[in-house]
């Protein structure tokens, strides 16, 4: 009974934390004269990626490769199919031209690069199959390139008339916005930990494999901050934070989280992991394609419903396997 109470408390902290984070981040965007999309790609996505980061750091230290890789691949799939799916059902998401042509392709590149690095032993003839410390340097170099790109466009937009022009955003003072963001991060982190720990406890009692737990319960649990944040942002009609949060989180999950995790300790992979990486590549490609179906650069409600159905099918496949 106590486990269920902690689960409910975790969900409550996630929702409230997301609300504070969106309010604080949106207000900060107005204060700094930076677009909501940039805030979504940086501050919000860093914050909502913290649960994945914390889980992976512990998994790497403990040598738990299934959790480390399954958490990230599962989270990226969950982020696109479930979170963008639900957010677009709440409100059709308008995606900026730059996000369609630059940021979404970067998410595709990130997971495609992960697949190449994970199988580099085929070319190098190495006995180690997985992410080595050399691979981690490549991922971290890509992270540096992505951060430079964000800095470049943020600097370019700073004095733009288009920057943060959402009229429905409550403007807070800088100290208050910072406090809101801090409270949001804390709420999200504690909430995610409560949900993940107790969900894993329940799943373990059912005798479910660790890999399945990582790809489903842990991935969904650590993805709950993104879900809560993007859903709240969509409800508040702020598509830029809703989309930027997911795109930024998916990029950071691979470049930052896996980059640092595999630096701490190389992450061995099993051949079956290639199927999940392949699904993540496919999902990223589908996200790009749907930008040109129906209304251009709009993720519509029917497309969101299609995303959710794809996730249900993927989950059914995992359980069947």
């Amino acid at each position: 009974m106590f486990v269920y109470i902690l689960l409910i408390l975790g969900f409550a902290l996630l929702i409230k934390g997301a609300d504070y984070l969106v309010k604080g981040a949106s207000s900060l965007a107005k204060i700094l004269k930076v677009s909501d999309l940039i805030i979504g790609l940086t501050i919000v996505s860093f914050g909502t990626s913290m649960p994945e980061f914390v889980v992976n750091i512990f998994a790497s230290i403990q040598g738990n490769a299934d959790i480390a890789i399954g958490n990230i691949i599962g989270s990226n799939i969950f982020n696109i199919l479930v979170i963008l799916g639900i957010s677009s059902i709440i409100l059709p998401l308008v995606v900026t031209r730059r996000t369609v042509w630059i940021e979404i392709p970067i998410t595709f590149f990130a997971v495609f690069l992960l697949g190449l690095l994970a199988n580099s032993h085929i070319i190098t003839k190495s006995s180690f199959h997985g992410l080595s410390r050399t691979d981690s340097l490549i991922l971290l170099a890509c992270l540096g390139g992505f951060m430079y790109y964000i800095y470049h466009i943020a600097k370019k937009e700073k004095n733009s008339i288009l920057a943060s022009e959402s009229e429905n955003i409550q403007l807070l003072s800088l100290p208050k916005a910072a406090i809101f963001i801090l409270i949001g991060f804390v709420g999200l982190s504690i909430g995610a930990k409560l949900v993940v720990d107790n969900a894993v406890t329940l799943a373990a009692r059912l005798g479910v494999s660790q890999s399945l737990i990582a790809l489903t319960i842990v991935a969904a649990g650590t993805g709950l901050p993104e879900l809560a944040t993007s859903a709240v942002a969509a409800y508040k009609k702020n598509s830029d934070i809703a989309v930027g949060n997911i795109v930024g989180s998916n990029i950071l999950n691979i470049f930052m989280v896996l980059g640092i995790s595999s630096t701490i300790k190389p992450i061995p992979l099993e051949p079956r992991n290639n199927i999940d990486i392949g699904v993540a590549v496919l999902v990223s490609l589908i996200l790009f394609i749907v930008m040109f179906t129906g209304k251009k650069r709009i993720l519509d409600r029917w497309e969101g419903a299609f995303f959710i159905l794809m996730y249900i099918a993927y989950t059914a496949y995992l359980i069947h396997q």
Side-chain angles (χ1 to χ4, degrees):
M1 183 64 183
F2 189 60
V3 172
Y4 293 102
I5 293 173
L6 289 176
L7 273 173
I8 294 171
L9 177 60
F11 282 120
L13 284 171
L14 283 169
I15 299 300
K16 199 60 186 174
D19 186 43
Y20 272 92
L21 183 59
V22 171
K23 285 180 180 176
S26 299
S27 189
L28 182 63
K30 277 183 135 352
I31 293 170
L32 299 178
K33 296 183 179 180
V34 175
S35 72
D36 293 334
L37 180 61
I38 299 301
I39 295 297
L41 283 167
T42 53
I43 294 174
V44 178
S45 58
F46 264 113
T48 56
S49 288
M50 283 302 103
E52 286 95 336
F53 181 70
V54 173
V55 167
N56 267 50
I57 292 301
F58 280 101
S60 293
I61 291 173
Q62 296 168 2
N64 198 327
D66 277 345
I67 294 291
I69 193 67
N71 174 35
I72 295 305
I73 298 304
S75 288
N76 277 26
I77 295 170
F78 182 84
N79 283 352
I80 292 176
L81 296 184
V82 177
I83 300 178
L84 285 183
I86 291 175
S87 299
S88 61
I89 289 174
I90 294 172
L91 180 79
L93 301 174
V94 180
V95 183
T96 65
R97 185 182 299 275
R98 187 182 64 226
T99 297
V100 171
W101 290 107
I102 299 180
E103 282 114 28
I104 290 177
I106 291 176
T107 65
F108 174 82
F109 168 75
V111 72
F112 184 75
L113 176 63
L114 172 62
L116 290 179
L117 295 177
N119 293 281
S120 60
H121 66 285
I122 297 174
I123 299 174
T124 61
K125 306 299 181 183
S126 170
S127 58
F128 178 75
H129 177 200
L131 296 177
S132 65
R133 287 196 171 92
T134 301
D135 296 330
S136 76
L137 295 178
I138 295 173
L139 293 174
L140 291 175
C142 290
L143 173 64
F146 178 64
M147 288 295 100
Y148 177 78
Y149 160 72
I150 295 297
Y151 168 77
H152 176 73
I153 58 176
K155 187 177 179 182
K156 186 177 179 181
E157 285 185 352
K158 192 168 180 65
N159 299 315
S160 172
I161 191 173
L162 296 175
S164 282
E165 55 186 13
S166 304
E167 295 180 0
N168 61 340
I169 292 174
Q170 176 188 359
L171 182 60
L172 306 172
S173 65
L174 183 57
K176 195 170 182 180
I179 291 172
F180 268 51
I181 291 172
L182 180 60
I183 292 173
F185 282 168
V186 171
L188 288 169
S189 298
I190 296 175
K193 180 168 176 53
L194 285 172
V195 171
V196 171
D197 287 353
N198 290 282
V200 168
T201 298
L202 288 175
R205 290 176 185 175
L206 299 175
V208 179
S209 73
Q210 224 173 56
S211 180
L212 178 61
I213 290 174
L215 284 164
T216 54
I217 296 175
V218 176
T222 56
L224 284 174
E226 285 94 338
L227 172 58
T229 302
S230 287
V232 170
Y235 178 75
K236 292 177 180 292
K237 299 182 179 180
N238 195 327
S239 292
D240 282 348
I241 283 187
V243 176
N245 169 41
I246 296 307
V247 172
S249 290
N250 276 20
I251 294 169
L252 293 177
N253 278 349
I254 293 176
F255 290 160
M256 182 183 77
V257 179
L258 280 182
I260 294 175
S261 299
S262 53
T263 299
I264 294 172
K265 190 171 185 178
I267 303 174
L269 301 179
E270 298 294 333
R272 67 174 183 272
N273 293 131
N274 284 326
I275 296 175
D276 302 308
I277 293 173
V279 171
V281 171
L282 178 62
V283 165
S284 299
L285 180 60
I286 290 174
L287 176 60
F288 178 74
I289 292 172
V290 298
M291 292 295 101
F292 304 96
T293 59
K295 295 176 184 176
K296 194 173 181 180
R297 293 193 289 111
I298 293 179
L299 189 59
D300 234 324
R301 285 189 172 94
W302 71 268
E303 292 167 327
F306 174 64
F307 275 18
I308 292 172
L309 288 174
M310 281 196 292
Y311 187 76
I312 292 172
Y314 172 65
T315 303
Y317 160 77
L318 289 177
I319 295 172
H320 175 72
Q321 288 297 104

